[in-house]
Amino acid sequence: MTRVPNDVARLAGSVRAVVGQLHRRLRQVDNAGVLTPSQSAVLARLDRDGPATQAQLAAAEHVRQQSMAATLAVLDELGYLTRTPDPRDGRRIVISLSDLGEKTVRGVHQHREEWLARALVDELTPGERRTIDDALPLLRRLAQR
């Protein structure tokens, strides 16, 4: 592996830190304290990846099945999930978002985007917003690497 120049290493650290700060700030904006980060992560995963079993969700979120069971129980109680028998193996249960769960995820995304849009208008000049817009394809390319 070739050595990365110091200025590139510093840039990498800065990008990681800023993206992490923005991610944490966006998580603070939604849910108004209703959902824990783990619960939000499960809803987002089901929205992004589709139906899954408890074991698949636990593996994907890197938690024990018992922890996932507790998270799913709360989401189930809130009415955000549906559970159906696996058509290939009736002993397993497939978990998916209910209509309310889908609506909640859409609402969270909309709330985050509204907050971010307001922040872009309030904090940045039109030129600064163009700079961010110009950088998006580069960041997207990095994220897909």
Side-chain angles (χ1 to χ4, degrees), residues 15-29:
V15 169
R16 181 202 48 77
V18 168
V19 168
Q21 286 174 329
L22 184 58
H23 185 251
R24 283 187 298 280
R25 184 64 185 103
L26 287 169
R27 282 195 330 235
Q28 289 172 349
V29 168

Side-chain angles (χ1 to χ4, degrees), residues 47-128:
D47 181 59
R48 183 179 57 250
D49 298 341
T53 65
Q54 178 178 310
Q56 290 167 330
L57 289 169
E61 293 297 319
H62 306 287
V63 298
R64 295 181 331 215
Q65 284 210 42
Q66 295 87 341
S67 298
M68 182 56 64
T71 298
L72 293 173
V74 172
L75 294 173
D76 218 0
E77 187 174 311
L78 291 168
Y80 294 157
L81 304 177
T82 60
R83 296 174 185 255
T84 56
D86 186 327
R88 294 176 304 240
D89 181 352
R91 298 169 296 174
R92 293 189 329 171
I93 300 295
V94 176
I95 301 158
S96 57
L97 291 176
S98 67
D99 289 342
L100 179 59
E102 289 177 6
K103 182 178 176 183
T104 299
V105 170
R106 281 193 308 275
V108 166
H109 290 167
Q110 181 179 352
H111 192 214
R112 285 178 177 179
E113 288 173 16
E114 288 170 356
W115 176 87
L116 188 52
R118 177 54 38 209
L120 288 167
V121 167
D122 291 348
E123 300 295 326
L124 303 179
T125 67
E128 290 169 327

